[in-house]
Amino acid sequence: MSSEQIVVALAVVTVLLALWAAVFATRADRASRRAIKLADARWEATTRPVPHLTFIGSPTAGQPIELEVENLGGTLTAGAVIVQAADDLYAGELTLPEKAPPRRIILQPAMKAWQRAAQPRCLLLVARDVSGRCWDCVDENKPIKDPRKWLAGQLRELRLQGVVDFPGLTGTPKS
């Protein structure tokens, strides 16, 4: 075997080893990206606020309603809640530390409901986490991309636009 043949054989072996290494490096990179996405999803799930409401009794007409709020997830830096009980709609803002024990809050009546409800129910429950992301807790904790626009639409749908405001959730209005 001549030296030229040896050089060509070594070059072919080198190219094959380089291709083999590139294939496995690509596979490893894809696996690590998948692992990072999974870890991010798990982190997001543990840092997302998950408020749980429990109604304490039924209020009389025009009187405040008492709720017990428990945060089962991450820190709730700002939140909004609108509930309906009998003939009234009640609204208020929330802030809760991470995995907070149950805390009683009182919501003031916002206005008369357009329709009577037999059982108290939550119409709107929105939470903002530490990173500033907002979540619709009534609709399976779906993320909200533009909280100001989304909340305006929800309040319009509930006929509460101009009646209630949640500056802690939407920020200060632009002048």
Side-chain angles (χ1 to χ4, degrees), residues 39-99:
D40 285 346
R42 286 182 184 158
W43 171 254
E44 185 178 283
T46 60
T47 61
R48 179 183 309 158
V50 183
H52 176 70
L53 301 178
T54 305
F55 293 91
I56 311 291
S58 291
T60 56
Q63 296 299 312
I65 189 170
E66 192 173 5
L67 299 173
E68 192 172 77
V69 183
E70 182 178 15
N71 186 11
L72 304 173
T75 302
L76 190 148
T77 58
V81 61
I82 298 175
V83 298
Q84 180 180 5
D87 292 332
D88 292 311
L89 294 176
Y90 300 86
E93 288 192 288
L94 302 171
T95 57
L96 293 169
E98 184 174 346
K99 296 185 176 57

Side-chain angles (χ1 to χ4, degrees), residues 100-145:
R103 181 175 86 183
R104 289 189 180 204
I105 63 167
I106 295 176
L107 297 179
Q108 298 298 325
M111 69 181 291
K112 287 291 184 189
W114 57 94
Q115 187 174 26
R116 184 171 178 76
Q119 296 291 322
R121 63 187 178 125
C122 185
L123 301 176
L124 179 110
L125 182 57
V126 184
R128 179 186 295 267
D129 64 12
V130 176
S131 66
R133 292 178 299 203
C134 288
W135 310 94
D136 180 1
C137 301
V138 173
D139 192 13
E140 301 174 1
N141 271 350
K142 288 187 179 175
I144 299 170
K145 293 181 182 171

Side-chain angles (χ1 to χ4, degrees), residues 11-29:
V12 168
V13 169
T14 303
V15 167
L16 290 176
L17 286 174
L19 285 173
W20 180 75
V23 166
F24 282 97
T26 303
R27 289 181 66 198
D29 180 57

